Amino acid sequence: MYNFEYYTPTFIEFGKKSEEKVAQLIKAQNGKKVLIHYGGHSAKKSGLIDKIEKLLTEENIPYVELGGVVPNPRLSLVYKGIELAKKENVDFILAVGGGSVIDSAKAIGYGIANEGDVWDFYAQKRVTDKCAPIGVVLTIAAAGSEMSNSSVITNDETGLKRSYHTEISRPRFAIMNPEFTMTLPEYQTACGCTDIMMHTMERYFTAGETMELTDKIAESVMQIVLKNAPILLEEPDNYEARAEVMWAGSLSHNGLTGCGIKNKDFATHMLEHELGGVYDVAHGAGLAALWCSWARYVYKANINRWLQYASNVWGLDIDFEHPEKTIETAIDMQEQYYASIGMPIGLKELGVK
C-alpha cells in the first residue's frame, strides 16, 4: 500500500425532496447572487428549474440563469457564462444537471475567479488555486463530477477535449434525489452506468501495490452497477436501484476507490476524450467501445490483478493452469454486459470509420 491523501469536502444531501434545501445550502456558503446553470429543455420541462427559482425567491436570493449545456460541454458556452456572471456580479454557481453541466460550471467558476483565458488551464498553460464556489442539484448518475476535482471541456473551435483538476473546484454541496434520474432515456442511463464502472476500473487496474480495503470498495461499486443497470432498463422508476447507482457514481470518482494506489491507468478515458472531441460521441458509449480492446491489450502486465477481477467481480473459478483463459472470459463477460445494456463494443458501432 502506498501513502495517500484523501479530500472530500462536498456536503451531500441525499434522498427524496432533498432539493427543497437548496436555498439554505446556498446561504450556508454565503452565496449572495446565483448563476443557475443547466442543460437542455428537460430541466425546464420537468419543472425543476422553476421549483429551484421559486425556492431561491422565497429566501430572497437573486439569480440569473444560463441553459444550453450539451454533452461534451463547449468552451463557447463557458465564455458566455463567465461574461454573464461577471456582468451580474454572481458569486455562486448552481449546476442543475449531470456531469456536463457540473464540468461547465467548474470552468465558469475558474473564469470568474481568474483573469485571462480560462482555456489556458485546460491547455495546461497555467494553473490556479481559485474557483468560484459551486453547488450541484444532480439529475444524472454518471460522471461523479458532483464530488470530484475534475472538469472536462471541449473547445468547439479546435475539437480538443481536455480536462483540468484542482481541489478548489470540488462542489461545496451536492443535492442528490434519485427520483430526478427516473425520466432519463435508456441510452443515457446505460452511458452513465458505464462511466461509473470505468471511473472505478481505471483506478483498480494497476501494476503497482494496492490496498485490500480499497479493492473491496472498488469491487463492490462495480458489482452494484453490474446488478442495477439491467434493473433500471426494465424498471426505470425503481427508486432503490436509482439510489444505489447514484451513490456509486459519487464514490467512483471522489478519490475513495483510488486510496493507497499509484499509477492509475486512465488511458481509456484519454482515448475517449479524443473520440468525444472529434466525433462528439456520448462519453459512456465511447468508453464501452474502447475498454475491452484496451483490456485485452494490457492484461498480461499484471496477471494476478486481472485474476482477482475475474474472481471477485465476475465470480469465476480460476484456471491456474491456463490463467489467461480465465481473464479473457471475464473480459468477454464485461463486453457482453455492455452489449446487453445497449452500449457499443467497437468503434464501428459508434459510427467511427
Side-chain angles (χ1 to χ4, degrees):
M1 181 187 75
Y2 295 101
N3 294 356
F4 66 90
E5 296 177 346
Y6 182 53
Y7 179 63
T8 53
T10 306
F11 179 85
I12 300 298
E13 190 71 51
F14 194 102
K16 297 177 181 179
K17 298 184 178 180
S18 53
E19 71 280 3
E20 295 179 1
K21 296 185 179 180
V22 63
Q24 294 95 311
L25 290 171
I26 291 172
K27 280 188 170 182
Q29 297 297 328
N30 297 313
K32 299 297 189 296
K33 190 168 186 179
V34 178
L35 171 63
I36 302 174
H37 197 35
Y38 61 94
H41 299 296
S42 60
K44 278 282 193 182
K45 188 176 180 181
S46 69
L48 178 57
I49 297 297
D50 289 341
K51 182 175 184 179
I52 290 171
E53 291 176 348
K54 181 175 181 292
L55 290 167
L56 297 189
T57 299
E58 289 173 350
E59 293 295 327
N60 298 311
I61 300 175
Y63 61 84
V64 293
E65 65 175 53
L66 178 65
V69 182
V70 296
N72 301 311
R74 306 299 200 265
L75 179 63
S76 56
L77 188 66
V78 169
Y79 287 150
K80 290 181 181 178
I82 295 168
E83 182 180 2
L84 175 63
K86 288 184 174 180
K87 177 183 177 182
E88 297 289 338
N89 295 314
V90 163
D91 63 0
F92 193 92
I93 306 170
L94 183 67
V96 183
S100 294
V101 174
I102 303 167
D103 284 6
S104 184
K106 290 177 180 179
I108 293 172
Y110 289 133
I112 294 174
N114 296 275
E115 296 299 325
D117 189 349
V118 71
W119 180 251
D120 288 347
F121 303 126
Y122 294 84
Q124 307 301 314
K125 293 180 179 179
R126 289 193 293 153
V127 297
T128 183
D129 59 358
K130 295 186 293 183
C131 183
I134 298 159
V136 173
V137 179
L138 189 64
T139 63
I140 301 172
S145 191
E146 67 277 2
M147 287 186 77
S148 83
N149 66 353
S150 66
S151 167
V152 183
I153 298 295
T154 298
N155 186 323
D156 28 355
E157 288 189 358
T158 64
L160 296 176
K161 183 177 178 180
R162 295 292 182 264
S163 61
Y164 188 60
H165 307 76
T166 68
E167 302 301 339
I168 196 65
S169 74
R170 290 183 190 265
R172 303 295 178 88
F173 65 79
I175 292 170
M176 301 171 65
N177 182 346
E179 292 178 317
F180 293 157
T181 68
M182 290 180 178
T183 57
L184 291 174
E186 289 185 1
Y187 190 76
Q188 201 165 5
T189 294
C191 283
C193 290
T194 301
D195 198 13
I196 295 168
M197 286 284 295
M198 206 65 62
H199 282 147
T200 309
M201 290 192 290
E202 292 193 314
R203 291 173 170 88
Y204 182 83
F205 289 111
T206 173
E209 298 177 21
T210 62
M211 183 178 184
E212 183 178 1
L213 179 57
T214 299
D215 284 353
K216 295 296 184 185
I217 293 170
E219 289 161 2
S220 294
V221 169
M222 287 186 265
Q223 288 177 321
I224 285 293
V225 177
L226 288 171
K227 173 185 175 182
N228 286 285
I231 294 174
L232 293 180
L233 298 183
E234 293 292 327
E235 306 171 35
D237 59 350
N238 187 314
Y239 180 84
E240 297 302 325
R242 289 286 179 188
E244 295 284 359
V245 168
M246 179 171 267
W247 189 228
S250 294
L251 297 186
S252 73
H253 205 36
N254 71 357
L256 180 63
T257 57
C259 290
I261 297 173
K262 274 187 179 180
N263 303 318
K264 306 168 188 72
D265 193 328
F266 276 79
T268 306
H269 256 82
M270 296 302 100
L271 289 167
E272 197 289 322
H273 285 177
E274 304 307 322
L275 275 179
V278 176
Y279 296 100
D280 200 25
V281 301
H283 181 55
L287 293 172
L290 290 166
W291 186 82
C292 295
S293 295
W294 169 85
R296 294 184 178 106
Y297 182 77
V298 304
Y299 77 78
K300 292 180 183 179
N302 192 343
I303 292 289
N304 289 336
R305 189 67 172 161
W306 286 84
L307 287 174
Q308 180 177 319
Y309 156 78
S311 176
N312 293 357
V313 176
W314 288 106
L316 295 177
D317 293 327
I318 298 174
D319 182 346
F320 289 101
E321 292 187 6
H322 306 95
E324 293 183 5
K325 288 185 178 180
T326 303
I327 296 169
E328 289 167 0
T329 299
I331 295 171
D332 289 344
M333 293 175 73
Q334 187 80 47
E335 187 171 65
Q336 292 161 15
Y337 164 78
Y338 286 145
S340 73
I341 62 172
M343 288 288 93
I345 55 174
L347 294 181
K348 288 183 179 179
E349 292 181 43
L350 279 177
V352 177
K353 298 179 182 179

